[in-house]
Amino acid sequence: MNIGFRDLSIFILLVIITTLTTKPNIVNASIHLYQNDRFIEVGNSFFLSGGSEGIAAAISDHRGFIRFENITFWRTKESANDHKTKKRTTGLVQIVIFEAADRNNIGGSAYGGQRSICCTPDLAKLEGCKQGEVIRIPSATDLNWPIVLNVQFYGNLQSTKMDNAEVPITKTGMYNLIFVACDPKLRGLEMSGKTVWKNPGGYLPGRMAPLMSFYVFMSVLYLVLSVVWFFQYVRFWQDVLQLQHCITAVIGLGLFEMLLWYFEYLNFNSSGARPIALTTWVVTVGAIRKTLSRLLVLCVSMGFGVVRPTLGGLTSKVLLIGVTYFVASELLNIAEYVGTINDISGRARLILVLPNAFLDAFLILWIFTSLSKTLEQLQVKRSSVKLDIYRKFSNALVVTVIASVAWIGYEVYFKATDPFNERWQSAWIITAFWDIIAFGLLCVICYLWAPSQTSQRYAYSEQMGDDSEDEESQSLARGKADGDVSLVKQERNGDVSDEEDDDEEDKRE
């Protein structure tokens, strides 16, 4: 079964249409929503995480802040009914904002025991804290930090509402927000409302903000590559190979993806909202581009269109690995980007990374195995021109794999040594590297298989031996002044024999 360029285009179009018809729900990103979120018991306190983001210091008249809107706390009826009077305060909820560097300034430990968030009788004697409240130690750089805001329950009322407040951010850092109740009677406490986190430059979380400029840069690079490639593509249209159609599709998808990411981030930065449909569309295009890029490298390594006219019996296997990789990549991207709120990735990402890592390792093994066989076939056929091209491609592939493995090691080190995301300002480089290295390998493929008047000489053909190879090499080096294309003559019997050999090899694989 052969899959042509037209079939591939139809498949991509169907995926995009399916994504666009998804119900356009809205998920807020830097606008953190809380909908009856329940406090959990942690040590001697009831605790709810409100979010974590990198926020930069003020720039000129623009400043960052964390704003609280319509924050309402609900306690159980049993807890409310324990109190008869409506005047006396009958429960305290504390809101704590602290920088990651000051994380040890919240809570304490008596006599080297277990660390507690709330003040105990022993800690009241040692630390001078107030029993039943959060332990707060002033920061060494600013005595007003960490920030603690108090919200009281009154009498036997079941709910209490916090006055809208805004906390200005004057120092660059990774800020964390937590809600804490130290009263044991507040078990089952719930909260609703929202907090608005804003950087001086907009609503983008600090870790993501540099990526908006990066995607502009990548869009320009893809645009330049597209202009150069399409100029050659149109100029030598009649001599274009099927492999070069695939390269064109990958370039177009790459440019489209970078532009989509930029506009998605631009919308996020200006509104603070991240529509699910838009983000899903972006990550779907990205998953398609990643899948086609890997299949392109695999097909090139197999000698598709150069050593063999079709993939033969391997077509179904290539399609299967492609569909599997697309699904795994799509799930990972949705978990990582769609509806993302905090600067700290969720646990779901760790689970979804494993299938992608396994598939990438499998593809690398398959690519190098196929590339080795292709090089052997070219050596046997004494095709020096094609052999030289594949050797250059092989060297580029080796460099790419070595760089990728080294970067994975660095990424593991980066995350292992920064559990609290204090180096959030440089975290964007982790994501950017993979786009850069993919673009670099694509440029190598474009250079080696660029459309030209001699493109057909790269196509599958039965070689004629040393004399014809020398003639082919000279023709490739100098070209023809009149622009005519000279095809290598093939003997019918040689063609049939070679195709039978390829079929036998496909069956063995």
Side-chain angles (χ1 to χ4, degrees), residues 451-507:
S452 67
Q453 63 183 10
T454 58
S455 291
Q456 290 294 338
R457 292 189 179 274
Y458 302 128
Y460 166 79
S461 64
E462 179 70 15
Q463 303 302 325
M464 302 296 294
D466 289 334
D467 294 338
S468 65
E469 189 60 46
D470 292 339
E471 181 182 350
E472 179 185 352
S473 302
Q474 293 173 5
S475 177
L476 278 173
R478 66 173 184 270
K480 283 185 174 286
D482 57 3
D484 292 339
V485 178
S486 177
L487 299 178
V488 178
K489 295 183 178 180
Q490 306 174 37
E491 294 184 5
R492 180 176 180 82
N493 293 337
D495 269 344
V496 174
S497 176
D498 191 68
E499 290 179 5
E500 289 177 353
D501 291 342
D502 286 337
D503 290 339
E504 289 299 324
E505 180 184 349
D506 292 342
K507 291 177 181 179

Side-chain angles (χ1 to χ4, degrees), residues 217-292:
F217 173 72
M218 289 302 301
S219 297
V220 172
L221 290 182
Y222 269 101
L223 182 61
V224 172
L225 178 62
S226 299
V227 170
V228 175
W229 178 266
F230 286 119
F231 175 77
Q232 292 292 102
Y233 186 83
V234 173
R235 182 182 176 190
F236 302 105
W237 169 256
Q238 294 183 349
D239 300 319
V240 170
L241 306 176
Q242 191 171 6
L243 177 63
Q244 291 165 335
H245 288 312
C246 297
I247 297 174
T248 304
V250 173
I251 295 174
L253 278 172
L255 176 60
F256 189 40
E257 181 192 3
M258 295 301 112
L259 288 173
L260 283 178
W261 273 121
Y262 169 71
F263 286 112
E264 200 268 343
Y265 274 43
L266 184 65
N267 173 72
F268 183 11
N269 192 51
S270 60
S271 66
R274 206 172 190 185
I276 284 183
L278 176 60
T279 309
T280 304
W281 187 18
V282 176
V283 299
T284 299
V285 172
I288 295 173
R289 194 266 306 169
K290 290 177 184 177
T291 302
L292 290 185

Side-chain angles (χ1 to χ4, degrees), residues 430-464:
I430 300 295
T431 301
F433 172 82
W434 299 110
D435 288 321
I436 292 173
I437 199 169
F439 178 79
L441 184 59
L442 180 60
C443 287
V444 171
I445 294 176
C446 291
Y447 172 75
L448 294 176
W449 280 277
S452 67
Q453 63 183 10
T454 58
S455 291
Q456 290 294 338
R457 292 189 179 274
Y458 302 128
Y460 166 79
S461 64
E462 179 70 15
Q463 303 302 325
M464 302 296 294

